[in-house]
Structures are given as structure tokens and as C-alpha cells.
């Protein structure tokens, strides 16, 4: 193995680590800014869904310095174990928490 191959392997390892860190940071952003957690309830159209996956690759920088909402996939609340999640895109809002829970 020559020096060039060794440097390439180190750089590739660092790039992969940085990409993983960026994905985790975007997931954290989704959690704290948009309120998206595993199994969060969102409204899309007239239905309520449980979040199954978040596509952080769809987040784009905004002029204000933040990011746009990510595209998500979810299962209808009445069928939470549905094997095929519905692609909701970015047209969703976080379901309001029940007022009684907010008071406690």
C-alpha cells in the first residue's frame, strides 16, 4: 500500500463520518425545530398519521438561515402497523397536543 492509497482511505473515512454527523444534526434539527420525533402525530390533508420516517435529504436551506420542513412518510393512526407507510411529502403539520396535557 502506498502513501496515496492510505491518505485516500483516511479521507474517505472522514467524509463518511462527516456525512453521518450531518444526518444526525438534521434529525436533531427536525426534533427541536419542527417537533418531529419517532411516532410523532402529524396531520396531512384530513388524516392523522404517525411518523415512520424522515427524509433529511429533502431539507433545503432558507433565506433566513434555517431549513425547510423535510418530506416524511407515515402510517394512518387507525392503522399504525401498516407495513407500507404513506409518503406525505412536506405538506404536513404537527398535530396539536391535547390541551389537557399542556395544562398539567
Amino acid at each position: 500500500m502506498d502513501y496515496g492509497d492510505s491518505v485516500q482511505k483516511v479521507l474517505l473515512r472522514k467524509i463518511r463520518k462527516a456525512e453521518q454527523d450531518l444526518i444526525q444534526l438534521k434529525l436533531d434539527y427536525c426534533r427541536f425545530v419542527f417537533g418531529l420525533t419517532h411516532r410523532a402525530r402529524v396531520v396531512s390533508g384530513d388524516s392523522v398519521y404517525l411518523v415512520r420516517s424522515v427524509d433529511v435529504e429533502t431539507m433545503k436551506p432558507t433565506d433566513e438561515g434555517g431549513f425547510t420542513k423535510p418530506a416524511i412518510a407515515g402510517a394512518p393512526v387507525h392503522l399504525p402497523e401498516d407495513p407500507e407507510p404513506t409518503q406525505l411529502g412536506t405538506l404536513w403539520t404537527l398535530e396539536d397536543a391535547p390541551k389537557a396535557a399542556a395544562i398539567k
Side-chain angles (χ1 to χ4, degrees), residues 22-98:
L22 180 58
I23 290 170
Q24 186 58 53
L25 286 169
K26 284 185 173 182
L27 287 171
D28 291 344
Y29 186 88
C30 289
R31 183 179 321 122
F32 294 109
V33 174
F34 300 122
L36 283 178
T37 60
H38 181 66
R39 298 292 189 157
R41 294 167 64 110
V42 296
V43 178
S44 182
D46 293 331
S47 300
V48 178
Y49 297 87
L50 293 174
V51 174
R52 286 288 195 82
S53 66
V54 177
D55 183 2
V56 296
E57 297 298 320
T58 61
M59 297 170 67
K60 303 295 178 219
T62 65
D63 292 337
E64 295 82 30
F67 283 96
T68 61
K69 292 193 306 187
I72 62 173
V77 170
H78 63 281
L79 294 170
E81 300 307 319
D82 190 8
E84 285 298 317
T86 303
Q87 297 298 321
L88 303 174
T90 59
L91 301 175
W92 56 268
T93 56
L94 197 62
E95 183 183 49
D96 291 332

